[in-house]
Amino acid sequence: MKPTCKKIANAAAAAITAGVLLLAATACESAGSGNGNASSGKNMLPAVSYGGQMPGAADREEQLYRFIREKMSGPDGVWTNYTDTEQNKEAATGHEILSESASLLLRYQALAGKREEFAAGWEQAKRVFDRERLFSYRYSPKLSKQYPLNAAVDDLRMIRALYEAGEAFGDEAYTAEADRYALRFAKYNIRDGGIRDFYDETYDMANPFITLCYIDLKTLDKLPLPIKSHSSLMEKMQKIVADGYISDLFPFYQLRYNYGSNSYESDSVRTVESLLTILSLAEMGKAPEQSLRFIKREVLHGALYGAYSLEGQPLNDIQSTAIYALAAMIGSQTNDREMYEAALRRMHAYRVEDPASPLYRGYGDAASGQAYSFDNLMALLAYRY
């Protein structure tokens, strides 16, 4: 199982080819309108970072970075999984490359001050993913296939990485590129004042819903939209997130919101997705105290499982690298060093320590040879929070 906020596009691509938008379980106005620009002066870099202060974390971070670059990457970017496949499944597998992975690695390189590596990674990402209207969410090197649809969360993360690079490196060229791609995103992925999971370039179609973990509030707040449009977008997306809160008894979030029916759709709660939503809120100073207490309690004294019922009952006993990496980031963004360090220690339980394993110093299952890009890149990013 890949523990990720994964791609409505994976399940929907075949249906869109037939001209149908499916509800998958897993994805504008110009700033020159004379109404002003709402994005100026908003800092993107994390205000707090505990990663470099934890004993041994710097060594683990560098070892993981080397593992990803040397053992899990090819000429087109970071592989989805260490073990290759025929790359012909509905969902990305094997050595396929995801814009998710590229954008996570670019964010890390910006936050780590790796200017030359960021520059090379950005040129690679443009070559592999950039299309006229979007960043393709997926590329298969074996099939030489670039998919003609995006995932909003990954486009936003790519844009965020550019803003962070502009700030970290003092390079206005990256900020200008971020603004340009942000306006493109707004033109195609925002419909009727709300973000849509994905846009299909071939059919000029967007889906009718938004997955809550796709709502990156900090990046949306940076979009260079006219003030009125910006305020309306932020108000709408923050309300969708806030109203998706399940309950104080189980303080996680609904899966998605359907604009057509004005309703939430969830058959269960996927922990990674709820944690991404809570992290987005934490970055804006809006994470509910009940959510933070629940996460901290489970990190310190229990466990965070991969999925729950809407009543808060665990549906499996799966835990993952990405779950605890996200919990650590939430701890950092809420100035809770105890939670950050405890979550990082829980994350380290999934690190491969056997020198004989090809996954040595990465995060994965040594017995099966499975190591996922999302787990490893979220762990890497957590060291920079």
Side-chain angles (χ1 to χ4, degrees):
M1 173 182 176
K2 183 177 180 182
T4 177
C5 175
K6 247 309 150 258
K7 303 286 188 258
I8 48 84
N10 289 346
I16 289 181
T17 301
V20 180
L21 289 170
L22 292 183
L23 298 180
T26 23
C28 162
E29 296 173 57
S30 168
S33 66
N35 295 328
N37 186 317
S39 71
S40 301
K42 294 174 180 174
N43 295 331
M44 294 299 290
L45 299 177
V48 176
S49 177
Y50 296 132
Q53 303 174 38
M54 188 172 175
D59 288 342
R60 290 174 185 265
E61 175 188 339
E62 183 57 31
Q63 290 161 2
L64 177 57
Y65 185 56
R66 288 179 59 189
F67 169 78
I68 292 169
R69 304 247 309 167
E70 297 174 5
K71 299 292 184 68
M72 277 199 69
S73 299
D76 298 310
V78 180
W79 302 328
T80 299
N81 195 302
Y82 177 82
T83 302
D84 201 6
T85 64
E86 292 304 309
Q87 302 180 17
N88 58 3
K89 302 296 184 183
E90 189 174 79
T93 59
H95 291 185
E96 289 186 87
I97 315 293
L98 294 170
S99 61
E100 172 187 83
S101 304
S103 56
L104 284 169
L105 185 58
L106 285 169
R107 282 205 64 210
Y108 169 77
Q109 290 167 334
L111 298 184
K114 297 181 182 293
R115 185 168 190 159
E116 292 184 2
E117 290 162 38
F118 180 93
W122 172 230
E123 290 303 314
Q124 180 186 70
K126 285 191 288 186
R127 173 176 61 81
V128 175
F129 299 111
D130 197 18
R131 296 173 64 91
E132 181 183 354
R133 299 179 180 181
L134 51 82
F135 291 109
S136 170
Y137 89 97
R138 174 182 174 189
Y139 175 70
S140 167
K142 189 171 286 187
L143 304 178
S144 297
K145 182 177 181 180
Q146 186 189 67
Y147 289 73
L149 63 163
N150 70 350
V153 65
D154 298 334
D155 278 31
L156 285 172
R157 195 186 301 108
M158 201 83 79
I159 292 163
R160 178 173 182 160
L162 288 169
Y163 280 128
E164 289 173 331
E167 191 174 332
F169 306 139
D171 191 333
E172 293 183 2
Y174 285 131
T175 303
E177 279 196 284
D179 284 342
R180 180 166 62 85
Y181 284 107
L183 289 173
R184 182 181 76 174
F185 174 85
K187 183 175 182 179
Y188 295 108
N189 274 86
I190 297 178
R191 301 290 174 97
D192 299 320
I195 303 169
R196 308 304 173 104
D197 270 21
F198 65 85
Y199 170 78
D200 185 282
E201 193 174 67
T202 302
Y203 294 95
D204 187 26
M205 298 170 69
N207 67 310
F209 58 83
I210 181 65
T211 301
L212 267 63
C213 70
Y214 280 32
I215 304 173
D216 177 353
L217 292 169
K218 189 170 184 178
T219 305
L220 290 176
D221 199 30
K222 187 72 173 175
L223 297 188
L225 301 174
I227 291 172
K228 185 176 180 180
S229 298
H230 177 275
S231 298
S232 176
L233 174 67
M234 291 301 296
E235 181 179 347
K236 183 168 188 171
M237 302 320 296
Q238 288 182 102
K239 178 173 172 51
I240 287 173
V241 172
D243 290 353
Y245 181 79
I246 295 172
S247 73
D248 287 347
L249 293 177
F250 184 51
F252 275 12
Y253 285 81
Q254 300 276 357
L255 173 61
R256 70 171 68 92
Y257 176 79
N258 189 301
Y259 292 106
S261 62
N262 294 315
S263 63
Y264 293 90
E265 300 169 338
S266 306
D267 52 7
S268 63
V269 175
R270 300 177 180 89
T271 301
V272 161
E273 295 176 343
S274 272
L275 292 178
L276 282 166
T277 297
I278 294 164
L279 175 60
S280 177
L281 289 165
E283 290 176 331
M284 303 296 286
K286 296 179 180 294
E289 285 299 323
Q290 293 90 339
S291 299
L292 300 178
R293 285 197 294 268
F294 178 88
I295 295 165
K296 185 171 184 177
R297 184 187 72 219
E298 297 306 314
V299 167
L300 291 176
H301 306 297
L304 289 168
Y305 296 109
Y308 293 85
S309 70
L310 293 173
E311 294 71 38
Q313 296 302 311
L315 298 180
N316 57 45
D317 60 0
I318 296 170
Q319 301 175 62
S320 75
T321 303
I323 285 174
Y324 291 110
L326 282 163
M329 293 183 212
I330 292 166
S332 172
Q333 292 303 288
T334 54
N335 300 303
D336 190 333
R337 184 168 178 169
E338 182 184 29
M339 184 163 91
Y340 175 87
E341 294 188 349
L344 223 60
R345 286 192 292 270
R346 297 293 294 266
M347 184 184 86
H348 289 156
Y350 302 96
R351 188 174 188 256
V352 177
E353 303 287 0
D354 180 4
S357 171
L359 305 183
Y360 180 50
R361 291 175 171 170
Y363 287 84
D365 180 8
S368 67
Q370 302 292 313
Y372 289 100
S373 57
F374 187 75
D375 279 320
N376 281 275
L377 289 164
M378 291 304 290
L380 186 66
L381 196 57
Y383 288 120
R384 282 287 139 184
Y385 270 71

